[in-house]
Amino acid sequence: MAITSASPFTAELQFDLVSYMRGENLLFQNLSFKLGSGQILWVQGDNGIGKTSILRLAAGLTKPQSGEIGYLFNGEASSPENLVAFQSHYDALEPSFTVYEELDFWADIYDSQIDSLSCVTQVGLHDRLTVKTKDLSAGQKRRLAMARLLISERPVWLMDEPKAAMDEAGQALVDHLMQAHIAKGGAILAATHNQATKLSKNTRRLLLESLS
Amino acid sequence: MINYLANPQRFLRFARFAAPLFMVLFFLFLGYGLWQALVVSPADTKQGNAVRIMYVHVPAAWMAMASYLALFIASLVSFVWRHNLADYGARAFARIGATFTALCLVTGSIWGHTSWGTWWQWDGRMTSVLVLFFIYLAYLFIWQFTDDRKPAARFAAIFAMVGLINIPIIKFSVDWWNSLHQTATISNVGAPGLDKSMGTPLLLMFLAYLSLFAWLSIQQVRTDIHTAKNKRVRTDKAATITVEDL
Amino acid sequence: MNALLWRDLRVLFRNPQSWLMGIIFFLLFLSLFAIALNGDSHKMRSMGPAIIWLAAIFSLLLNFGSIFQNDVNNGNFEQLHLSGLSTVSIVISKICASFITSIIPLLIAIPIAGISYQLTSAEMAAIMLSLLIGAPAIISYGVLAGAMLAGQKNAGFLVILMTLPFMVPIVIFALSGIQAYPAEGLWNLQFQALSGISLIALAIAIPAAAAALSAYLD
C-alpha cells in the first residue's frame, strides 16, 4: 500500500512464535512481537546471531520453520510487498546507472507518487545526480538506498545496520529520516550490533544473546 | 508406499531386508539370464555369436530410460514436497542410470565393431543414448557445483524435469534426422527381429538389471541417510530473546 | 514490467562485454575455422551453415552464465522481488532483453561471415531466419542455466554443459531447414518444427528459471 502524506493509516507487522534455522543451526525459536505505526524496534545482537534473518523473514524473502508472520494495513491483512521496504546490507544498486536513473527506475517499479528529485535532495545526493552508482562512496550508496526507502512509500521499513559506513553527517541524516518516518505513521525494524538509539517514545529493543 | 517409506527410520528398516533381497535376486537373474544368453539361445545367422552382446546392450538401453523416469519421479517429489529422501533417491537413480547408459554405449560400440567393423555410428538410437548420457552427466554435475545442499536439490530437480520433456523431442528429432541419411546396414543396428528364444534371456537380463538398480539405490540412499544423521541440529546454540523498552 | 525491460536493456547495452565479446568470439571462431580448413572454399561452402550455426550457439550461450549474477549477488534481485515483481516477470524481461541485444549483432555478423565463406544470399537469408526462429529456444535454456548458475564462478563453461543436450533438436531442425529453404521457402516443415521447439522451450524454461531464481531468496 502506498502511503501518501494525505491519508492517515495504520500498519502492523506481527511475529508469532517464529522459529528459524540457517542451514543445520537453529538460530532462535518462539520469537513473538508486534510492531505498529509510530514504533521503532531495534534488533540488537552480535554478528551472525540472526538479526539479518529476522529482517529477511519480515520481508518475506525466506520462510520460518514454524510460526506465523502477519502483515496488517489499516486493519486488513496485507502482504510483504505491499507493506515493507528493505535496506539490506547489500548495496542493491545497478553499477552502470546514474543516481538519478537508479531512483527513477525504482520510482517506476513502485509506481511512486513522490518525486524522485525530492527524495534525492532529502538524502543529500542532489549534487551527485549524474554520478554512476559504482562511483559512489559507501556512505553515499547507503544514502541512495535510503532514498529508495523513501520513494517506495511503504509504511514498514526494514533496515540492516542503518548507520554502517556513515560519517557523522550521515548518521544524523539517518536519525532524522527515521524520526520523520515514524512521525508520519511508519514503523521501523532495524538491526544493529551496538547502536540502538532512543529515537522516539515508542522505541524498543529486541536483544538476541547466545548462551556461550 | 512412497508415503510409508518417506520416514527415514522406516526406510532404514525396509532397507535392512530389501537390500540383501535385491542383491540375491540380481545374482539369480544375472546367472540364469547369462546362461540363457550365452549358452542356450541360438547364434544369429548373419552376426554369429556377436549377437549375444545384445543381451547386455538392449536391456541396458531400457534401464537407461527407466532410470530416467525414476529420476523424474523422485525429482518431482523433491520439488513439490521438498523431502530429503527424494533427493537421495534422485541422485542414486541418476548415478545408476548414467552407468547403465554408459554400459549401453560401450556394448553398442563393441557390437557395432564386431558386426560392422565400425566402433561408432551416428545413427538414431546411439545418438539419442549419447545425448541422454550427457543429460545424466549435466544432472550429476549440478550436485557438484553448489555448496549449500538446498539450492542444489532444487536446481537438480528442475533440471531433471526439464530434461524429461526434452528427451522425447530429442529422440524424435534425432530419429527424423537419421531417417534422412541412413544406409541399409545402419538401420539394422537395432535388435534383429525378436525370436521367442531371444525374449527369455532379454527379459531375464532386464530383471537382473532392475534388481541391481533397486539394490544399489537402496544402498546409496541408506548411506546418505547415515551421513545426514551425523549432522545433528544444534538446538543448544539458539539465541535467547528479550524484548524491552529503551 | 516495462520499466524492468528497459532496465535490462540498458544494463546489457552498457556492459558491452555481454554482446560485443560474443560477436568477436563468433568472428574469431569462424576465422580460425577457415584457417583450419586451409581456406578450401569447397569445404567452407558445404560446411558453412553448420559451422556458422555452431559458432552462433556458442557465442550466445557463453553469455548466459553471468546474466543473473550481478543482480543476485548485489542484492538487486531481492529488492526487485520485494517490490512485488514476480520471478516470472524478471525471467521474461531477461529473455526479451537478451533476445534483442544478442540477436541483432548476430544478424549483422552473419552476412559478414557468410560472405567470407562464400555462401549465396539465399543461404545467408536461410541462416538468419533459422536463427531468428530458433533463438527463443537457445535463449530460454540459456536463461534457465543462467538462473541456476547465478551463484557460481566460471559459469560460462557450465552453461554449455547444461544446455548442449537441449540444443540437439534445435541444431537438427535449423540446419535441415536451411537445406530445405531454397526449395520450400520460409515456412518449410523443418522451420515449423523449429518454431514448435522454440515455443515449447519458452513454455518450459520460463517457469523453470523462475523456480530456480526463487531458490536464491531463501
Side-chain angles (χ1 to χ4, degrees), chain A residues 24-29 31 42 49 196-198 203-209 211, chain B residues 148-150 228 231-246:
Chain A
E24 304 289 336
N25 289 322
L26 181 65
L27 287 180
F28 50 80
Q29 44 188 356
L31 171 61
W42 289 99
I49 206 168
T197 44
K198 187 175 170 65
T203 306
R204 285 176 297 160
R205 166 167 55 202
L206 193 161
L207 195 55
L208 292 169
E209 287 167 306
L211 293 170
Chain B
D148 182 358
R149 209 205 90 250
K150 225 176 16 163
K231 301 192 219 166
R232 223 158 295 159
V233 173
R234 288 163 254 167
T235 327
D236 51 351
K237 278 240 186 119
T240 55
I241 302 163
T242 346
V243 182
E244 58 198 12
D245 285 322
L246 267 189

Side-chain angles (χ1 to χ4, degrees), chain C residues 153-165:
Chain C
K153 299 194 244 305
N154 299 320
F157 193 60
L158 288 168
V159 175
I160 305 273
L161 200 76
M162 286 170 62
T163 52
L164 275 193

Side-chain angles (χ1 to χ4, degrees), chain B residues 65-100:
Chain B
M65 266 316 299
S67 308
Y68 199 90
L69 266 162
L71 170 60
F72 169 74
I73 294 174
S75 297
L76 186 62
V77 171
S78 161
F79 187 76
V80 175
W81 285 283
R82 312 229 187 164
H83 203 294
N84 288 344
L85 280 198
D87 293 332
Y88 305 150
R91 229 182 348 193
F93 300 158
R95 289 190 193 120
I96 302 170
T99 316
F100 276 121

Side-chain angles (χ1 to χ4, degrees), chain B residues 37-212:
Chain B
L38 297 174
V39 175
V40 170
S41 82
D44 184 63
T45 44
K46 278 182 279 179
Q47 300 175 40
N49 274 317
V51 78
R52 298 188 195 280
I53 230 189
M54 167 181 77
Y55 299 116
V56 178
H57 169 80
V58 170
W62 296 344
M63 283 309 297
M65 266 316 299
S67 308
Y68 199 90
L69 266 162
L71 170 60
F72 169 74
I73 294 174
S75 297
L76 186 62
V77 171
S78 161
F79 187 76
V80 175
W81 285 283
R82 312 229 187 164
H83 203 294
N84 288 344
L85 280 198
D87 293 332
Y88 305 150
R91 229 182 348 193
F93 300 158
R95 289 190 193 120
I96 302 170
T99 316
F100 276 121
T101 316
L103 178 67
C104 175
L105 288 171
V106 168
T107 51
S109 170
I110 295 174
W111 191 9
H113 178 75
T114 54
S115 305
W116 295 283
T118 46
W119 287 106
W120 185 263
Q121 295 278 12
W122 289 98
D123 69 306
R125 179 170 320 169
M126 293 312 278
T127 311
S128 300
V129 175
L130 183 64
V131 177
L132 179 63
F133 184 60
F134 286 133
I135 293 179
Y136 271 121
L137 287 183
Y139 174 87
L140 288 168
F141 217 101
I142 294 178
W143 281 105
Q144 297 289 74
F145 70 61
T146 29
D147 299 304
D148 182 358
R149 209 205 90 250
K150 225 176 16 163
R154 304 264 302 167
F155 298 154
I158 294 172
F159 184 80
M161 295 191 283
V162 170
L164 183 81
I165 304 179
N166 264 285
I167 286 173
I169 300 178
I170 294 172
K171 180 120 189 30
F172 168 72
S173 61
V174 170
D175 281 344
W176 177 84
W177 161 80
N178 185 54
S179 71
L180 292 182
H181 22 73
Q182 66 176 21
T183 64
T185 45
I186 297 175
S187 66
N188 287 333
V189 158
L194 276 183
D195 199 60
K196 242 190 305 204
S197 61
M198 294 176 172
T200 322
L202 276 177
L203 180 63
L204 287 170
M205 288 303 285
F206 183 57
L207 289 171
Y209 287 165
L210 275 177
S211 312
L212 181 64

